[in-house]
Amino acid sequence: MSVFNAYMTLSGAIDADVLRDEPLARHTSYRIGGPAALYVRAHSYEALARTLDTLSAEGVEWVVLGKGSNVLASDQGYDGCVIALDGEFSRLSVSAEERTVVSGAGVALSKLVNEALKASLSGLEPCVGIPGTVGGALSMNAGSRREWIGRRVRDLVVLEPGHGMRRYAGGEVEWGYRTTSLPPSGIILEATFSLLPASREAIAADTDARLRRRRSSQPLSMPSCGSVFRNPPDRSVGALIESCGLAGASQGGAQISTEHANFIVNRGGATAADVLALIGAAHDAVLARYGIDLACEVKLLGFGR
């Protein structure tokens, strides 16, 4: 593996920002993480394709990272290449007549929701207040356990390394609570959402109410990665962890939130090791008391060193 060769090949040769030893703490909502050996912010499809070809030739592993809102990066960093999508991937177009929104994977989810609202198109309200990009939201089927973004997908374009681009109809994909049937190695490039006409006032009232509920029940003022565990059927993880007496428990700069115990927040100076210790403590406590093996939905980056 030669990160240096990949850097020399890509630097200045493609439509992208190519950096060495870029701190991942700058690119995750936890504000935690050591350096990525290589960081590429691709501004075009061609730049992404050439980046992937070069990384493959040099044997460098890679990962696509949006806003890093569901990621815990290792304190030691990541030996591979982190790829971010920008430029062409940040395009968004709305057709009120066709009741559709076409969005690149790099578009902020909040922008997608707001543009649909402006066009009086309903269906994306469950995504209000969720951080991250459209690509990240689709890959984890963001939303609640009853409402999720995948239900509004008409079609999407996915780059499958080694096989090229493929367009999926929304109905071809199995969408579930925090899951999809899309290939794990696929890179979502673009999606078309089919929405419903509604009054702008009604949509705004719905989104405002949802946002107020989030703000009143979640610790949005401190860095976190959102929900740590998936809710088991008909149970609230936050309530389970709180009942084990762990709300407010801390390790170093990390703390299980007193506002919502399924959130672990960075109170300042938290390390990935601190967060992992609290994840383990919460998981083990719930397993011991209730026999429930909680599924962690935080993606770990750089821990296979």
Side-chain angles (χ1 to χ4, degrees):
M1 179 176 82
S2 177
V3 169
F4 177 76
N5 286 348
Y7 172 73
M8 293 301 294
T9 299
L10 296 172
S11 185
I14 60 172
D15 183 20
D17 304 315
V18 184
L19 306 172
R20 288 291 310 274
D21 299 323
E22 175 69 4
L24 289 171
R26 296 177 181 172
H27 304 283
T28 63
S29 60
Y30 253 136
R31 301 295 180 258
I32 292 173
L38 191 61
Y39 183 90
V40 175
R41 183 176 296 278
H43 301 297
S44 66
Y45 293 98
E46 182 181 357
L48 175 61
R50 289 195 59 187
T51 296
L52 294 173
D53 287 345
T54 299
L55 297 176
S56 177
E58 294 296 334
V60 178
E61 67 177 66
W62 54 270
V63 65
V64 175
L65 187 67
K67 298 292 186 182
S69 56
N70 195 41
V71 174
L72 178 64
S74 166
D75 300 314
Q76 284 70 48
Y78 177 55
D79 284 337
C81 177
V82 170
I83 302 172
L85 304 179
D86 203 350
E88 291 183 355
F89 305 100
S90 296
R91 294 175 177 170
L92 186 148
S93 63
V94 181
S95 174
E97 296 76 17
E98 296 182 9
R99 304 172 184 175
T100 59
V101 180
V102 180
S103 172
V107 172
L109 189 59
S110 59
K111 181 177 180 180
L112 174 68
V113 173
N114 287 336
E115 291 303 311
L117 165 63
K118 291 178 184 178
S120 299
L121 294 174
S122 174
L124 294 173
E125 293 86 342
C127 296
V128 67
I130 298 177
T133 60
V134 170
L138 288 168
S139 67
M140 65 174 293
N141 197 19
S144 68
R145 58 178 139 188
R146 296 181 181 86
E147 301 174 295
W148 47 68
I149 192 171
R151 288 179 172 167
R152 290 300 171 190
V153 174
R154 189 183 76 181
D155 57 69
L156 68 167
V157 179
V158 178
L159 175 60
E160 300 179 10
H163 301 283
M165 287 192 289
R166 175 177 171 183
R167 183 178 295 274
Y168 289 86
E172 290 182 76
V173 182
E174 294 179 15
W175 305 95
Y177 174 50
R178 297 290 192 270
T179 64
T180 81
S181 62
L182 292 169
S185 62
I187 303 173
I188 297 170
L189 303 179
E190 180 183 278
T192 301
F193 298 93
S194 182
L195 304 176
L196 301 171
S199 75
R200 190 177 304 180
E201 292 75 16
I203 298 171
D206 188 5
T207 55
D208 287 348
R210 291 173 186 267
L211 196 54
R212 283 196 300 271
R213 286 197 296 272
R214 284 188 183 276
R215 287 173 173 167
S216 66
S217 62
Q218 297 177 2
L220 303 182
S221 63
M222 286 186 283
S224 80
C225 72
S227 298
V228 173
F229 300 101
R230 297 179 190 172
N231 286 307
D234 302 319
R235 303 297 293 267
S236 163
V237 173
L240 292 172
I241 296 173
E242 187 170 350
S243 71
C244 293
L246 288 176
S250 62
Q251 172 72 36
Q255 182 185 53
I256 295 178
S257 173
T258 55
E259 293 180 64
H260 194 310
N262 196 24
F263 283 66
I264 296 175
V265 298
N266 181 355
R267 298 187 64 188
T271 64
D274 293 337
V275 175
L276 280 179
L278 291 179
I279 290 174
H283 174 274
D284 293 349
V286 171
L287 181 62
R289 182 164 183 174
Y290 295 102
I292 298 175
D293 186 10
L294 295 176
C296 185
E297 59 184 21
V298 181
K299 296 179 180 179
L300 303 180
L301 179 59
F303 287 89
R305 302 175 68 90

